[in-house]
């Protein structure tokens, strides 16, 4: 930042943010590596379980698409965190900042953001699908069928790539620098070698000279700040004066991800990119999820109240029973099958609400910080945003890896399917109940195959074999379009 008597830089974050950044940065590599490894395993298990025949449904298809995006983020982040955090002190500078690694950083900055955007909008789609299932169950099969769901998931992947990738690609470029090191290996200065960076700095210095000569008393701190701050998070170091030659022990050619020539001469492009990130990718989905979550909670409460009213015995206001044709009449009760289906629907909705709320906790702060960065400019970027970037990264990783725990803790069918897939076979003889679950699951799959194979006219006049129907009773209820999980 600009210093001296002309320093008018506003202070947005104090020394506490700097201290947190310094202390947490040493742990971030190991924390994120553990989260990524566990998240990779968890999302792989999610995909295996959710794609089973008995688990296929529109909601589970969205959860599968979400798990694929989260898995890709985890796998890509592992080499990044190992290289940039865990091995940062053991690698020589020319290897740590090689051209190949700069290319990977450019890929990382685009790929991770695109996949994260896909997972965000799939989460919004999940909330919309769930609200339709709870608030408008009669429209659920028409509006949220499997074909519509597959088209929606595919559209989310394609549109997010087309919207996010170009802006991130255009504002970044790989620039060559010569780092001058002292005898202890510390960086003394970093001199740009890429011609467009040299030309831009010369242009800025010329503008500063003109401004100083024209109005000697006018502050030039903003121009100096832009010159010093126009470096990305991967290269936040401002240019420094050329040191005495006696201090320089060796020169190292390095490559950093820097602003592109287009971005340096077009600040509106940078502002638009941050607005896309903060508003389109973060705030709009968070606001939509907040509204949908509130509506889902209200729908759950209304369904619970309506079910309690339908299952209770009505009584007249004077304490006597209502008579119909001389006989007392009671409100008809729902059968146990219907009640169990509605309870399962409520459990699924509560589970998905937990997924949505976790998303809001981890994503809303990032959207607010991104918006403030667009409004307040480079000062906020350097003082606050970059200092909290590691924390935001690990929160996003945790959000992408914890869904497996939610599914296991809140979905009975997910637990049963997972157990049948991964329980050691030798335990079957010690767990007879599990054998029943296995038979029911297999019978459910057999029944689906029979229904699909038999023509409609034949189904209307012939019942399914009794043994299949009885065996599948325990599982078909949980695999309907409404309950999903």
């Amino acid at each position: 930042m600009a210093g001296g008597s002309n320093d008018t830089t506003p202070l947005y974050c104090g020394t506490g943010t700097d201290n947190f950044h310094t202390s947490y940065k040493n742990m971030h590599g190991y924390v994120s590596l553990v989260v990524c490894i566990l998240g990779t395993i968890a999302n792989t298990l999610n995909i295996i379980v959710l794609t089973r025949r008995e688990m296929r449904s529109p909601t589970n298809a969205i959860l599968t698409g979400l798990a694929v995006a989260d898995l890709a983020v985890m796998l890509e982040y592992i080499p990044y965190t190992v290289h940039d955090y865990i091995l940062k002190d053991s690698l020589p500078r020319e290897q740590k900042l090689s051209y190949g690694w700069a290319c990977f950083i450019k890929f990382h900055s685009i790929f991770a953001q695109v996949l994260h955007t896909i997972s965000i909008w799939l989460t919004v789609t999940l909330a919309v699908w769930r609200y339709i299932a709870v608030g408008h169950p009669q429209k659920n099969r028409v509006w949220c069928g499997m074909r519509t769901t597959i088209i929606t998931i595919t559209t989310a992947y394609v549109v997010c790539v087309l919207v996010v990738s170009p802006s991130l690609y255009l504002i970044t470029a790989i620039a060559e620098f010569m780092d001058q090191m002292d005898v202890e290996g510390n960086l003394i200065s970093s001199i740009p070698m890429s011609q467009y960076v040299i030309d831009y700095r010369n242009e800025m210095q010329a503008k500063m000279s003109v401004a100083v000569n024209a109005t000697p008393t006018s502050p030039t701190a903003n121009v100096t700040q832009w010159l010093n701050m126009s470096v990305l998070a991967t290269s936040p170091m401002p240019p420094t004066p050329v040191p005495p030659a006696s201090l320089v022990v060796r020169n190292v050619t390095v490559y950093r991800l820097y602003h592109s020539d287009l971005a340096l001469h077009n600040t509106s492009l940078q502002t638009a990119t941050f607005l896309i990130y903060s508003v389109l990718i973060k705030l709009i989905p968070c606001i939509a999820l907040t509204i949908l979550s509130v509506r889902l909670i209200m729908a759950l409460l209304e369904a619970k109240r309506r079910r309690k009213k339908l299952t209770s015995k009505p009584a007249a206001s004077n304490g006597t029973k209502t008579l119909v044709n001389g006989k007392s009449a009671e409100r008809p009760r729902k059968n146990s099958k219907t009640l169990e289906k509605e309870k399962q629907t409520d459990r699924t909705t509560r589970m998905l609400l937990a997924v949505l709320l976790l998303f809001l906790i981890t994503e809303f702060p990032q959207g607010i910080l991104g918006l403030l960065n667009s409004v307040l400019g480079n000062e906020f970027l350097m003082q606050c945003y970059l200092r909290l970037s590691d924390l935001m990264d690990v929160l996003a990783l945790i959000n992408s890896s914890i869904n497996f725990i939610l599914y296991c803790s809140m979905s009975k069918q997910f637990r049963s399917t997972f157990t049948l897939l991964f329980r050691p076979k030798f335990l079957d003889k010690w767990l007879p109940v599990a054998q029943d679950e296995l038979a029911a699951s297999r019978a459910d799959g057999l029944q689906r195959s029979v229904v699909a194979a038999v023509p409609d006219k034949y189904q209307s006049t012939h019942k399914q074999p009794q043994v299949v129907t009885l065996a599948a009773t325990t599982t078909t209820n949980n695999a309907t379009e409404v309950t999903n999980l």
Side-chain angles (χ1 to χ4, degrees), residues 29-95:
Y30 299 98
V31 173
S32 58
L33 180 62
V34 171
V35 172
C36 285
I37 293 175
L38 296 179
T40 298
I41 298 173
N43 282 294
T44 302
L45 295 177
N46 284 342
I47 295 171
I48 294 174
V49 174
L50 294 174
T51 53
R52 299 290 295 178
R53 177 182 301 177
E54 61 270 20
M55 296 290 289
R56 290 177 183 173
S57 68
T59 298
N60 288 349
I62 299 175
L63 293 177
T64 303
L66 186 63
V68 171
D70 291 340
L71 176 62
V73 171
M74 296 288 173
L75 291 175
E76 189 273 337
Y77 201 87
I78 290 176
Y80 169 75
T81 191
V82 170
H83 186 280
D84 261 19
Y85 292 91
I86 297 178
L87 300 180
K88 63 177 181 178
D89 296 328
S90 59
L91 294 176
R93 192 167 188 82
E94 55 268 24
Q95 183 177 350

Side-chain angles (χ1 to χ4, degrees), residues 68-294:
V68 171
D70 291 340
L71 176 62
V73 171
M74 296 288 173
L75 291 175
E76 189 273 337
Y77 201 87
I78 290 176
Y80 169 75
T81 191
V82 170
H83 186 280
D84 261 19
Y85 292 91
I86 297 178
L87 300 180
K88 63 177 181 178
D89 296 328
S90 59
L91 294 176
R93 192 167 188 82
E94 55 268 24
Q95 183 177 350
K96 180 181 177 182
L97 299 175
S98 64
Y99 181 79
W101 183 249
C103 293
F104 178 84
I105 291 296
K106 187 175 179 70
F107 167 77
H108 166 77
S109 65
I110 300 174
F111 181 83
Q113 192 59 63
V114 167
L115 268 296
H116 194 58
T117 305
I118 291 172
S119 66
I120 288 172
W121 282 103
L122 286 181
T123 305
V124 175
T125 304
L126 181 66
V128 173
W129 258 234
R130 198 65 221 160
Y131 174 72
I132 293 174
V134 174
H136 306 278
Q138 68 278 7
K139 301 291 186 180
N140 183 52
R141 188 177 295 274
V142 178
W143 292 353
C144 305
M146 182 61 75
R147 183 175 181 271
T148 304
T149 302
I150 297 300
I151 294 175
T152 303
I153 296 172
T154 305
T155 303
Y157 271 82
V158 174
V159 171
C160 289
V161 171
L162 296 179
V163 171
V164 178
S165 300
S167 59
L168 293 178
Y169 181 83
L170 291 175
I171 67 169
T172 59
I174 299 173
E176 181 182 354
F177 289 81
M178 183 177 68
D179 286 359
Q180 296 180 329
M181 317 295 294
D182 63 12
V183 66
E184 295 180 356
N186 298 318
L187 178 66
I188 299 176
S189 66
S190 186
I191 303 173
M193 303 298 290
S194 296
Q195 190 60 44
Y196 82 92
V197 181
I198 298 174
D199 293 342
Y200 176 76
R201 293 192 176 187
N202 292 337
E203 181 183 339
M204 289 295 101
Q205 290 175 359
K207 290 182 179 180
M208 289 171 58
S209 299
V210 171
V212 170
N213 293 332
T215 55
T217 57
S218 64
T220 58
N222 290 336
V223 179
T224 305
Q225 278 184 351
W226 166 238
L227 179 63
N228 291 344
M229 303 299 178
S230 62
V231 186
L232 296 180
T234 54
S235 179
M237 187 186 316
T240 56
V242 178
S246 58
L247 296 179
V248 179
V249 175
R250 69 189 184 102
N251 296 324
V252 180
T253 301
V254 299
Y255 299 88
R256 294 189 178 94
L257 196 62
Y258 202 81
H259 283 305
S260 64
D261 190 20
L262 177 63
L264 289 175
H265 293 90
N266 190 357
T267 56
S268 60
L269 177 61
Q270 301 179 49
T271 303
T273 301
F274 270 105
L275 287 176
I276 290 175
Y277 169 80
S278 60
V279 177
L280 183 62
I281 298 178
K282 299 292 183 180
L283 291 182
I284 291 180
C286 287
I287 293 173
L289 282 177
T290 301
I291 297 173
L292 288 169
S293 297
V294 172

Side-chain angles (χ1 to χ4, degrees), residues 302-347:
E302 175 64 21
K304 183 177 181 180
R305 183 192 64 79
R306 186 169 59 249
R307 185 165 58 248
K308 183 178 180 180
K309 181 179 180 180
L310 290 174
T311 55
S312 60
K313 292 183 179 181
S317 57
N318 58 359
T320 61
K321 295 183 178 181
T322 304
L323 297 179
V324 178
N325 296 330
K327 298 181 180 180
S328 62
E330 292 184 357
R331 189 185 303 273
R333 289 193 175 188
K334 294 185 177 182
N335 57 43
S336 59
K337 179 179 179 180
T338 304
L339 288 176
E340 178 60 28
K341 181 187 295 185
E342 292 183 352
K343 291 179 180 178
Q344 179 64 26
T345 301
D346 290 350
R347 286 195 295 268

